[in-house]
């Protein structure tokens, strides 16, 4: 089974928040720690998506690096940007990222992109966002987080529908353009 769940923070209702407080108390508690209401709302949206996927709070575990996984052997990945939240639930390892076009700045390019990626993206906001979402999704897939972004992995072939080999595993990607957002789903 491979399924992606998505919602916007605008869809979060007071009834949903009450439900989360009772059924996802850790997620609710985490939401209270955010300074920005928009960040807290996205945290709560994650609980709504988990519920839609039939996943209880007790089924989620975390690796030492903070990567979530399910006790039944399925894989999950979570992302949010702007007012959108996404959850991927797969039978194979998965990493997902969503970004609003325009949020990725050109300064990221010189720090995290290979020379071929920098050349391809130039100052184009959409291309910068595509590369960033692919790298973020890949870092979630591997569980290495931000460390992987510094390792110089070139994701440019993934923009062309090709796969890459990383640690002996074939990595594939799907890109979706959702209005002003780019969604990257990476599997191995």
């Amino acid at each position: 089974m491979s399924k992606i769940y998505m919602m916007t923070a605008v869809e979060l209702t007071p009834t949903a928040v009450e439900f989360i407080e009772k059924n996802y108390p850790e997620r609710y508690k985490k939401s209270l720690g955010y300074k920005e209401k928009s960040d807290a709302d996205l945290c709560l949206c994650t609980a709504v998506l988990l519920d839609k996927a039939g996943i209880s709070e007790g089924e989620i575990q975390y690796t030492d690096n903070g990567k979530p996984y399910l006790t039944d052997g399925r894989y999950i990945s979570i992302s949010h940007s702007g007012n959108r939240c996404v959850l991927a639930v797969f039978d194979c390892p998965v990493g997902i990222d969503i970004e609003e076009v325009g949020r990725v700045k050109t300064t990221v390019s010189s720090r995290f992109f290979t020379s071929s990626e920098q050349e391809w993206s130039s100052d184009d906001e959409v291309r910068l966002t595509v590369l960033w979402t692919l790298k973020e999704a890949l870092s979630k897939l591997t569980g290495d987080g931000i460390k992987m972004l510094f390792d110089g992995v070139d994701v440019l072939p993934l923009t062309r529908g090709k796969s890459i080999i990383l640690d002996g595993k074939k990595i594939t990607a799907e890109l979706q353009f959702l209005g002003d957002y780019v969604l990257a789903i990476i599997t191995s």
Side-chain angles (χ1 to χ4, degrees), residues 9 12 17 31 34-44:
L12 191 65
V17 174
S31 76
Y34 288 100
K35 292 180 182 177
E36 299 292 326
K37 182 180 181 328
S38 59
D39 293 331
D41 286 350
L42 289 171
C43 180
L44 295 171

Side-chain angles (χ1 to χ4, degrees), residues 135-152:
K135 286 186 177 271
E136 279 278 320
L138 184 59
S139 74
K140 291 176 182 182
L141 172 81
T142 64
D144 291 335
I146 196 80
K147 175 198 163 297
M148 191 281 311
L149 297 175
F150 288 105
D151 287 346

Side-chain angles (χ1 to χ4, degrees), residues 7-156:
M7 73 178 287
T8 63
V10 181
E11 299 171 71
L12 191 65
T13 65
T15 304
V17 174
E18 288 176 24
F19 176 84
I20 294 163
E21 185 177 8
K22 290 177 186 166
N23 296 284
Y24 293 86
E26 292 302 314
R27 177 67 53 178
Y28 179 78
K29 184 178 172 183
K30 182 177 179 180
S31 76
L32 298 176
Y34 288 100
K35 292 180 182 177
E36 299 292 326
K37 182 180 181 328
S38 59
D39 293 331
D41 286 350
L42 289 171
C43 180
L44 295 171
C45 285
T46 301
V48 172
L49 296 179
L50 289 167
D51 187 63
K52 283 184 181 180
I55 300 168
S56 70
E57 203 163 54
E59 292 178 82
I60 305 168
Q61 300 295 311
Y62 297 89
T63 65
D64 291 341
N65 291 346
K67 179 181 176 176
Y69 65 93
L70 299 176
T71 55
D72 66 6
R74 292 179 296 161
Y75 299 86
I76 65 170
S77 187
I78 301 164
S79 181
H80 44 75
S81 177
N83 72 349
R84 294 193 183 207
C85 181
V86 293
L87 167 70
V89 183
F90 280 53
D91 288 332
C92 64
V94 64
I96 194 166
D97 191 53
I98 190 166
E99 283 295 332
E100 189 173 10
V101 173
R103 292 177 64 109
V104 180
K105 304 301 176 201
T106 54
T107 54
V108 166
S109 176
S110 62
R111 195 163 172 209
F112 297 108
F113 294 176
T114 65
S115 58
S116 62
E117 290 169 339
Q118 289 177 41
E119 184 179 321
W120 181 78
S121 64
S122 188
D123 288 333
D124 185 280
E125 287 184 335
V126 174
R127 287 182 173 197
L128 286 167
T129 306
V130 164
L131 289 174
W132 183 254
T133 57
L134 286 168
K135 286 186 177 271
E136 279 278 320
L138 184 59
S139 74
K140 291 176 182 182
L141 172 81
T142 64
D144 291 335
I146 196 80
K147 175 198 163 297
M148 191 281 311
L149 297 175
F150 288 105
D151 287 346
V153 175
D154 192 334
V155 298
L156 199 52

